[in-house]
Amino acid sequence: MGKVAIGVAVVCGIAVAAAAAVVVHRKTKKSGRWVKAMEILKEFEEKCGTPIPKLKQVADAMIVEMHAGLASEGGSKLKMLISYVDHLPTGREKGLFYALDLGGTNFRMLRVQLGGKGRGIVNQQFEEVSIPPSLMTGSSDALFDYIAAELAKFVAQEGSDFKQSPGRQRELGFTFSFPVMQSSIASGTLLRWTKGFSIDDMVGQDVVAELAKAMERQGIDMRIAALVNDTVGTLAGGRYNNKILGTGSNAAYVERAHAIPKWHGLLPKSGEMVINMEWGNFRSSHLPLPDYDHALDTESLNPGEQIYEKVIAGMYLGEIVRRVLCRMTEEAAFFGDTVPPKLKEPFILG
């Protein structure tokens, strides 16, 4: 319960504090306008209130959904997806590895040389590429061809300081930060898009197969060894790095395999399984949802979905603050008689 409760309280506080900081910075000499602006801010703070009893209600509701999601597919707002990762890195891994992370308005490519026990990360190179907005709502071929073309350029830049084992094909870990139903460690079908993506022809398709076809079209000789959600990847990568910040919000944890009723295969030797909760889709009547949050959800690409994510994730907090400032501008002339044009742009503060 503790981490869920603390998370809700902290992010609600962040949004209020951000709006308050702007108010203090813009404090106007016209007392009437100042009073009205403070009334709006006070109302926002009260509607975002998270007293301890409310936080406990939120946490208890999430625990109920977790158990339901572990029991059966579709039985909960939380997917509680089986990741097929049954053990985490030890820190003794050795060799050259590539990674591709797709999960927001940018995608990231990484090559890393692991030195084995006691050496950790010996060398790494990283590149981040923006995804044109048109590709986020276009076709799957267009999106993956663009990604594969950038990956081909990145692979071509591999220097002599990276050592590939003789006779071994390059391997790629594919972090795909959207809800996927996995059928193995290296395959999974997309359940739905989030984070501003909406590519209909991709839903229900194997994301690994789509990337592999695009890589083949680009002539990339590389095997996709694993498909992981970004949250599962963050959990696994904690052995090497714990400074990670993302656009959305999710959680993964190690569950006892025998405590997963919907798992029908042989129990893994480790006796454990990493579960990808997909808690961004959690929703409860106990969550504080001011009018700003309701309006943001209604105008989003996926209204009614990912409510918890829209309340607490980094992608949305700036937009909530923008909406508060817009109301202050309209009702208290907060920026004078004219609304700054930039403030009218959705997600300008994201």
Side-chain angles (χ1 to χ4, degrees):
M1 188 275 276
K3 291 183 179 179
V4 174
I6 292 170
V8 175
V10 168
V11 295
C12 288
I14 289 172
V16 172
V22 177
V23 169
V24 171
H25 182 69
R26 293 285 306 182
K27 184 174 180 179
T28 173
K29 295 180 180 179
K30 296 184 180 297
S31 59
R33 294 180 180 181
W34 171 254
V35 170
K36 181 60 178 177
M38 290 305 297
E39 286 177 357
I40 294 171
L41 183 61
K42 183 65 176 177
E43 177 191 344
F44 178 50
E45 182 180 12
E46 289 173 352
K47 289 186 176 181
C48 286
T50 52
I52 290 177
K54 179 180 284 290
L55 293 177
K56 188 177 187 306
Q57 289 174 325
V58 172
D60 289 346
M62 181 173 284
I63 290 171
V64 170
E65 293 292 337
M66 288 173 68
H67 286 299
L70 288 174
S72 64
E73 300 296 352
S76 168
K77 300 181 186 72
L78 304 181
K79 293 294 184 182
M80 303 301 288
L81 299 173
I82 295 171
S83 69
Y84 291 85
V85 175
D86 59 11
H87 62 277
L88 298 175
T90 64
R92 296 189 294 270
E93 293 75 20
K94 188 175 182 179
L96 172 62
F97 301 92
Y98 276 80
L100 172 66
D101 176 14
L102 172 61
T105 52
N106 301 321
F107 68 91
R108 290 153 288 277
M109 300 171 290
L110 172 74
R111 64 174 144 255
V112 58
Q113 190 84 44
L114 300 180
K117 184 177 180 180
R119 299 189 65 197
I121 298 174
V122 176
N123 196 6
Q124 64 179 324
Q125 289 181 333
F126 167 88
E127 187 171 329
E128 185 166 359
V129 180
S130 296
I131 299 176
S134 61
L135 294 182
M136 296 172 66
T137 55
S139 70
S140 58
D141 280 353
L143 175 64
F144 282 108
D145 281 344
Y146 178 76
I147 292 171
E150 294 297 325
L151 178 60
K153 296 176 188 176
F154 184 66
V155 173
Q157 297 167 0
E158 180 183 301
S160 58
D161 47 344
F162 287 89
K163 307 297 182 183
Q164 176 69 18
S165 301
R168 182 176 175 180
Q169 186 182 25
R170 289 182 179 83
E171 292 183 319
L172 174 77
F174 182 24
T175 299
F176 188 75
S177 312
F178 303 92
V180 166
M181 180 63 70
Q182 285 196 236
S183 50
S184 73
I185 190 63
S187 63
T189 56
L190 175 65
L191 297 175
R192 67 176 180 276
W193 289 105
T194 59
K195 306 175 188 176
F197 282 76
S198 182
I199 304 174
D200 293 339
D201 69 345
M202 189 62 226
V203 177
Q205 301 300 312
D206 185 338
V207 296
V208 174
E210 293 299 314
L211 175 60
K213 287 187 287 188
M215 289 168 59
E216 185 177 353
R217 289 193 288 268
Q218 291 292 329
I220 302 174
D221 181 19
M222 186 178 291
R223 181 177 74 90
I224 303 174
L227 170 68
V228 294
N229 176 271
D230 61 336
T231 308
V232 175
T234 300
L235 179 64
R239 183 69 66 176
Y240 292 94
N241 190 352
N242 62 5
K243 298 177 180 178
I244 304 172
L245 181 64
T247 304
S249 181
N250 194 7
Y253 71 100
V254 180
E255 180 63 89
R256 295 163 298 162
H258 70 264
I260 310 172
K262 68 181 180 182
W263 173 258
H264 300 300
L266 295 174
L267 292 178
K269 293 180 180 179
S270 66
E272 299 176 333
M273 178 64 67
V274 174
I275 295 295
N276 167 23
M277 289 178 61
E278 288 296 338
W279 81 356
N281 201 45
F282 173 69
R283 183 169 190 168
S284 168
S285 60
H286 302 299
L287 281 175
L289 292 173
D291 293 341
Y292 307 101
D293 294 275
H294 283 294
L296 184 152
D297 175 51
T298 300
E299 297 167 20
S300 69
L301 291 172
N302 55 346
E305 299 179 1
Q306 300 297 112
I307 299 300
Y308 193 57
E309 180 172 82
K310 291 171 184 173
V311 170
I312 69 173
M315 177 177 179
Y316 301 99
L317 291 180
E319 174 62 8
I320 295 296
V321 172
R322 185 191 71 84
R323 289 167 182 262
V324 175
L325 294 176
C326 280
R327 184 181 169 196
M328 289 179 175
T329 300
E330 293 166 358
E331 299 182 19
F334 189 62
F335 291 98
D337 297 330
T338 305
V339 178
K342 281 287 185 181
L343 196 60
K344 297 179 181 179
E345 297 180 23
F347 292 93
I348 190 67
L349 300 181

